[in-house]
């Protein structure tokens, strides 16, 4: 019987089936003596007997409950304050527990994988029913895994509540597992963790100055490695900030001969080249919005020129800090560029419509009826709006009062008609390798490089990103030092280039110089930490609002 139902410290008397899906195992303790839990004095004197009914692991698809008949002993030590004590079975069930240790461990492991609510829904189908709260209590009781002393770690922040509360995750980069979750992202907390792990020799991090200070305080002899992805992202952001201030000037650049000034007759047949015209109300609303933005721009510039901090301006005017920074650095009002044609339901039928118009047919209602038979699901108004753009004169049946409509004055709006991408998209083009750009993107970059400062920024940005991409990838912690002289030459050129954005970025790189040089010569990065944060987000969202730090930390460590 013990072969099929092992009961450490017990002897099985009977196994019965009370109901079709439930087994009952009657067992009793076999020890001849028991030790007092307070003084440890052994005793054979039985005071009484009592029954316990803990649940156990299922068998043959049936839930199992054990009927344990245990004894209570007298404590024969006169100096002990305890008069009686119960018989214990440490290999089977804990004191006062309603389930065996093996059942508690199994239910806790299911909770680690699924969370409380999901585990509570699954466990009844596995013949181990329990509540979601009990599952979480059992998850907390699972002992955390033992980890060897780490040597190379990565640290990054993660959001408990995005935009409000943040913590830090520490990852063993050699063994690819999470070591700990810290309650915040301050230097003191990270320094305390590093002081408890004196064997750490390398720490990979992002560009956070708080993490840099924490590593310096907690592990002054450890090498700090800046993450290469963050270096590339910081460069793109620096280029985007500069473009935000110079974008208006770049949109006024003349077209390149043979590239930008292509004849309009070369437009592909059957494609729209511009957006549909706006109504008068839309034009008025756009102009009013532009005036509001211009007033805010002028107010931000006025406050910034008298020395008011950007954060104070943001709070006073109730503007986002990014918007305030963009307005403060812009050389001129950053008006919205004209939008290109967006996808329309009429686009697949434009070629057919152009053929009909070329044949002399100009009745919108008739064209719409034929289009509807061909599968067009739009209205006649959409066909009429497209047809109005193609006419070079009024239709023959147009009433006289409508033959000379009042034209909308497009100069009333503040829209710049140059087709230059916005700063965010343009910054991507300037930092990408030239071999990765399409012909259109290459022409855009060449157009922008007519500006002297833009040419300097594009050249510095591309050289820096190429340096970062081709360094630190040899796989050896002692890679060659070839990028170091190249970085020094790049920094000297960036400081003397005359573009404030590049000089500021170079100053930041010099301030974090040791970590940046390590990033260019060592293979470590915080990429693993980013991947573990993705897993952490999944576990947090599985918790249905029950993701307190201690529970989330337990699940992350056990899932590693």
């Amino acid at each position: 019987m013990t072969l099929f139902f092992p009961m450490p410290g017990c002897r099985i008397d009977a196994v019965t089936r009370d109901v079709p899906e439930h087994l009952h195992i009657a067992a009793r303790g076999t020890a001849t003596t028991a030790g007092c839990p307070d003084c440890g004095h052994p005793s054979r004197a039985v005071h009484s007997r009592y029954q316990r009914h803990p649940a156990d692991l299922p068998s043959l698809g049936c839930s199992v409950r054990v009927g344990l008949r245990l004894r209570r002993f007298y404590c024969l030590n006169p100096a002990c304050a305890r008069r009686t004590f119960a018989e214990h079975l440490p290999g089977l069930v804990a004191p006062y527990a309603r389930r065996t240790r093996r059942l508690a461990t199994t239910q806790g492991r299911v909770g680690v994988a699924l969370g409380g609510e999901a585990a509570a829904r699954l466990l009844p189908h596995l013949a181990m029913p329990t509540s979601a709260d009990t599952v979480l209590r059992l998850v907390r009781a699972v002992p955390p895994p033992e980890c060897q002393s780490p040597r190379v770690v990565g640290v990054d922040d993660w959001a408990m509540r995005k935009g409000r509360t943040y913590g830090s995750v520490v990852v063993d980069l050699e063994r690819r597992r999470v070591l700990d979750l810290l309650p915040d992202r301050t230097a003191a907390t990270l320094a305390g963790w590093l002081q408890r792990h004196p064997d750490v020799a390398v720490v990979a991090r992002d560009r956070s100055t708080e993490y840099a200070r924490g590593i310096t305080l907690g592990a002054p002899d450890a090498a700090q490695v800046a993450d290469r992805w963050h270096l590339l992202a910081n460069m793109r952001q620096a280029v985007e900030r500069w473009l935000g201030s110079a974008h208006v000037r770049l949109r006024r650049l003349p077209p390149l001969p043979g590239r930008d000034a292509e004849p309009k007759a070369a437009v592909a047949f059957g494609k729209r080249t511009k957006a549909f015209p706006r109504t008068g109300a839309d034009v008025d609303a756009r102009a009013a919005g532009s005036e509001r933005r211009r007033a805010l721009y002028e107010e931000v510039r006025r406050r910034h020129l008298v020395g008011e901090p950007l954060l104070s301006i943001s709070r006073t005017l109730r503007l986002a800090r990014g918007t305030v920074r963009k307005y403060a650095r812009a050389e001129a009002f950053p008006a919205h560029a004209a939008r290109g044609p967006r996808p329309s339901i009429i686009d697949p039928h434009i070629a057919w419509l152009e053929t009909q118009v070329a044949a002399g047919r100009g009745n919108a209602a008739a064209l719409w009826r034929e289009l509807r038979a061909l599968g067009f699901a739009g209205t006649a108004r959409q066909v009429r709006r497209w047809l109005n753009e193609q006419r070079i004169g009024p239709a023959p049946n147009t009433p006289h009062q409508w033959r000379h409509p009042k034209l909308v004055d497009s100069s009333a709006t503040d829209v710049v008609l140059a087709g230059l991408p916005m700063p965010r998209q343009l910054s991507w083009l300037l930092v990408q390798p030239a071999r990765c750009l399409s012909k259109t993107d290459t022409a855009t970059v060449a157009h922008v490089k007519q500006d002297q400062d833009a040419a300097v920024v594009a050249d510095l940005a591309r050289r820096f990103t190429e340096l970062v991409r081709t360094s630190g990838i040899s796989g050896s912690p002692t890679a060659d030092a070839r990028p170091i002289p190249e970085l020094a030459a790049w920094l000297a050129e960036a400081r003397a280039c005359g573009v404030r954005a590049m000089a500021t970025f170079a100053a930041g790189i010099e301030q974090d110089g040791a970590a940046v040089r390590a990033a260019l010569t060592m293979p470590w990065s915080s990429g693993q930490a980013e991947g573990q944060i993705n897993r952490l987000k999944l576990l947090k969202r599985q918790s249905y609002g029950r993701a307190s730090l201690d529970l989330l930390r337990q699940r992350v460590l056990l899932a590693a």
Side-chain angles (χ1 to χ4, degrees):
M1 191 69 70
T2 57
L3 179 63
F4 298 101
F5 305 100
M7 295 286 176
C10 297
R11 184 176 68 184
I12 298 176
D13 294 331
V15 178
T16 59
R17 185 187 294 270
D18 297 341
V19 293
E21 297 181 356
H22 178 74
L23 293 179
H24 183 271
I25 301 176
R28 54 192 174 91
T30 58
T32 57
T33 62
C36 175
D38 288 351
C39 64
H41 194 278
S43 175
R44 291 174 176 266
V46 177
H47 172 271
S48 59
R49 289 174 172 80
Y50 68 101
Q51 288 277 350
R52 292 182 64 182
H53 300 278
D56 200 2
L57 285 174
S59 177
L60 302 176
C62 300
S63 61
V64 175
R65 189 166 292 277
V66 182
L68 287 176
R69 185 171 176 81
L70 302 177
R71 294 162 291 179
R72 180 173 288 276
F73 293 89
Y74 286 105
C75 181
L76 303 180
N77 183 5
C80 182
R82 184 185 290 270
R83 298 271 66 93
T84 65
F85 60 90
E87 181 179 6
H88 293 299
L89 300 173
L92 181 63
V93 63
Y96 307 105
R98 302 295 299 272
R99 55 184 51 80
T100 61
R101 293 183 184 273
R102 55 198 179 196
L103 176 61
T105 300
T106 302
Q107 291 175 330
R109 286 292 177 179
V110 175
V112 168
L114 300 180
E117 294 292 342
R121 291 194 295 267
L122 175 64
L123 286 172
H125 300 284
L126 303 179
M128 297 182 288
T130 190
S131 67
D133 290 340
T134 300
V135 170
L136 297 183
R137 179 170 55 83
L138 296 174
V139 169
R140 287 188 169 97
V142 176
E146 296 184 0
C147 298
Q148 300 180 11
S149 181
R151 191 184 67 88
V152 182
V153 301
V155 61
D156 205 348
D157 61 336
W158 59 280
M160 300 179 191
R161 295 187 65 187
K162 190 171 180 65
R164 296 189 181 184
T165 310
Y166 287 84
S168 300
V169 59
V170 185
V171 180
D172 188 336
L173 298 183
E174 291 183 310
R175 299 178 181 86
R176 297 178 176 270
R177 63 182 305 160
V178 176
L179 295 172
D180 207 349
L181 291 186
L182 307 182
D184 53 46
R185 52 181 179 181
T186 61
T189 301
L190 179 59
W193 189 92
L194 291 172
Q195 289 169 359
R196 296 191 298 271
H197 299 80
D199 294 334
V200 173
V202 179
V203 183
R205 56 167 176 82
D206 56 18
R207 301 293 310 288
S208 169
T209 56
E210 191 73 8
Y211 283 153
R213 189 163 63 90
I215 298 169
T216 302
L217 294 174
D221 297 331
Q224 300 186 34
V225 182
D227 184 59
R228 290 185 292 277
W229 183 90
H230 285 89
L231 290 174
L232 297 175
N234 295 153
M235 170 52 77
R236 191 203 63 79
Q237 292 163 358
V239 174
E240 182 183 349
R241 286 194 293 268
W242 179 82
L243 287 172
S245 63
H247 198 256
V248 174
R249 185 178 80 241
L250 297 179
R251 284 189 287 195
R252 294 170 181 164
L253 291 173
L256 285 176
R259 289 189 177 182
D260 297 343
E262 295 183 355
K264 295 184 178 180
V267 176
F269 178 73
K271 292 185 178 179
R272 291 188 299 120
T273 59
K274 58 181 180 178
F276 288 116
R278 294 178 175 269
T279 63
D282 289 340
V283 171
D284 294 341
R286 189 178 181 89
S290 179
E291 288 301 322
R292 288 194 300 270
R293 291 191 299 274
R294 182 181 290 278
L296 288 173
Y297 164 77
E298 293 175 352
E299 181 66 14
V300 168
R301 291 284 295 178
R302 184 186 66 80
R303 290 172 177 267
H304 178 62
L305 291 176
V306 298
E308 186 174 349
L310 298 183
L311 184 59
S312 174
I313 300 175
S314 172
R315 291 172 176 170
T316 303
L317 300 182
R318 296 184 178 182
L319 292 175
R321 283 177 290 179
T323 302
V324 172
R325 188 183 300 112
K326 179 179 70 174
Y327 283 173
R329 295 177 178 175
E331 300 172 357
F333 174 60
H336 290 176
R339 295 179 178 177
R342 295 186 177 183
S344 172
I345 195 174
I346 203 173
D347 287 347
H349 306 279
I350 287 180
W352 183 86
L353 287 170
E354 289 179 347
T355 304
Q356 301 301 313
V357 171
R361 303 186 59 191
N363 190 306
L367 292 176
W368 171 69
R369 284 191 291 269
E370 295 185 27
L371 269 182
R372 189 173 54 178
L374 296 176
F376 177 61
T379 63
R381 182 174 178 270
Q382 293 168 303
V383 177
R384 188 176 299 109
R385 182 174 59 174
W386 177 86
L387 193 60
N388 288 337
E389 290 186 336
Q390 314 305 314
R391 288 176 174 148
I392 59 176
N397 57 347
T398 302
H400 290 283
Q401 63 268 28
W402 301 110
R403 285 183 177 270
H404 302 284
K406 181 180 179 181
L407 298 177
V408 177
D409 184 10
S410 59
S411 63
T413 67
D414 226 339
V415 177
V416 179
L417 300 179
L420 193 68
M422 297 305 290
R424 180 181 293 271
Q425 289 76 27
L426 188 55
S427 64
W428 280 107
L429 301 182
L430 295 183
V431 299
Q432 292 294 323
R435 62 182 179 277
C436 298
L437 298 178
S438 64
K439 292 183 179 180
T440 303
D441 294 339
T442 303
T444 301
V445 172
H447 176 82
V448 170
K449 282 180 148 184
Q450 295 179 96
D451 183 86
Q452 183 178 359
D453 288 349
V456 171
V457 170
D459 178 65
L460 290 172
R462 189 157 292 160
R463 285 168 49 198
F464 181 83
T465 54
E466 188 69 20
L467 176 63
V468 174
R469 288 191 179 102
T470 57
S471 304
I473 57 176
S474 64
S476 171
T478 58
D480 64 321
R482 176 188 56 82
I484 303 303
E486 297 181 16
L487 176 64
W490 185 93
L491 290 173
E493 187 173 344
R495 287 194 304 267
C497 70
V499 179
R500 181 181 177 185
M502 290 294 101
T504 302
F505 179 79
I509 294 294
E510 286 182 327
Q511 184 180 3
D512 203 15
V516 174
R517 287 190 292 271
L520 301 182
T521 56
M522 300 179 71
W524 306 112
S525 72
S526 58
Q528 288 187 46
E530 299 287 354
Q532 295 291 351
I533 290 173
N534 285 337
R535 174 185 289 180
L536 187 151
K537 291 178 182 177
L538 173 64
L539 295 178
K540 186 177 72 170
R541 290 163 184 165
Q542 278 183 339
S543 300
Y544 292 90
R546 298 290 297 275
S548 57
L549 180 64
D550 64 321
L551 178 61
L552 188 60
R553 177 181 181 274
Q554 181 79 338
R555 290 191 64 191
V556 170
L557 295 182
L558 292 172

